[in-house]
Amino acid sequence: MSAIVTHFGFDASKEEIRAMSMWRDKKYMQPMVEESLKGKYSLVKANYIPLLFNHLLELLQLSSHLLKEFKEKPDELGKVLQETEPKFSVFLKYTIHYKHNEKQIRKACNNILFIKINQENLARRDTNRLGMSDYFIAPIQRITRYCLLMKDLQRYSNPPDLELDKALKAMTALAIAMNNV
């Protein structure tokens, strides 16, 4: 089980951090921030930035925290997730923000600079040819992936891992809450 957790914790968290950092720093957010600073003749309205990238910093911090914890405690996935459970509320906040602002997000995504940046990134290999819509949905899908992993790990736990079971129940409740937004 340790090898599975190590693989999951390191690879998934590293990839999540890499993708969100790319989303924030180089590919989407930073070019849009720079353009919005041009003022009156900017191709990007300054109010699009928080609309599109809300909760991104919190998600990055949580992923970094999990990566550190998985590295330090590779055999204690259930305990790590259970102890970190309060921080997972950022996923619900992200989902509520996304659902509540879906119309405005679509409008912001129709911005001429955004479309140009998105088309460039869809063609790039280092972005795995992912567009902004793929990045928008990734945090929402993360909780479901945690649930699937924990179910798989439960099958290989002998004796049953009670902390993993508690963490799975909490993550499942979060996934249901996110789905019902």
Side-chain angles (χ1 to χ4, degrees):
M1 186 157 105
S2 174
I4 295 170
V5 172
T6 301
H7 171 75
F8 165 77
F10 295 158
D11 291 350
S13 293
K14 280 182 185 176
E15 178 56 28
E16 185 176 87
I17 291 168
R18 186 194 70 76
M20 283 191 285
S21 295
M22 187 181 308
W23 182 18
R24 180 193 67 193
D25 297 335
K26 299 175 185 166
K27 306 301 179 197
Y28 288 99
M29 186 175 169
Q30 196 56 42
M32 293 181 84
V33 167
E34 289 168 10
E35 178 64 29
S36 72
L37 295 174
K38 291 180 180 176
K40 185 176 173 182
Y41 300 104
S42 171
L43 295 173
V44 177
K45 293 181 181 179
N47 63 338
Y48 285 171
I49 309 302
L51 182 68
L52 292 170
F53 303 101
N54 201 2
H55 303 295
L56 184 59
L57 182 59
E58 288 175 84
L59 290 165
L60 271 165
Q61 289 170 342
L62 176 58
S63 295
S64 297
H65 172 77
L66 286 173
L67 183 62
K68 178 180 166 264
E69 290 295 307
F70 290 150
K71 190 175 184 177
E72 291 174 5
K73 305 171 190 171
D75 293 323
E76 301 177 30
L77 177 69
K79 183 178 180 181
V80 167
L81 291 173
Q82 204 174 349
E83 289 172 350
T84 312
E85 181 188 341
K87 294 180 182 181
F88 278 88
S89 64
V90 68
F91 287 97
L92 185 57
K93 289 190 275 185
Y94 178 88
T95 304
I96 291 168
H97 169 81
Y98 181 79
K99 298 282 182 170
H100 181 72
N101 294 296
E102 204 165 1
K103 248 186 210 177
Q104 292 89 346
I105 289 171
R106 267 195 233 114
K107 183 179 178 184
C109 291
N110 286 325
N111 173 281
I112 196 164
L113 178 65
F114 179 89
I115 292 169
K116 179 183 178 275
I117 293 169
N118 199 43
Q119 287 173 341
E120 289 172 2
N121 287 323
L122 285 168
R124 294 176 62 109
R125 188 175 276 188
D126 65 334
T127 62
N128 294 329
R129 295 179 179 23
L130 297 175
M132 191 64 164
S133 60
D134 301 309
Y135 288 109
F136 279 142
I137 200 71
I140 296 170
Q141 295 170 334
R142 173 60 55 196
I143 296 302
T144 307
R145 288 189 194 134
Y146 283 134
C147 292
L148 292 172
L149 169 78
M150 287 186 276
K151 285 179 184 177
D152 283 346
L153 289 175
Q154 280 183 323
R155 281 190 258 154
Y156 299 104
S157 296
N158 193 8
D161 185 339
L162 298 177
E163 289 175 332
L164 185 62
D165 188 52
K166 288 177 185 176
L168 175 59
K169 288 176 182 170
M171 290 293 156
T172 302
L174 179 57
I176 291 168
M178 290 168 62
N179 194 45
N180 290 329
V181 168

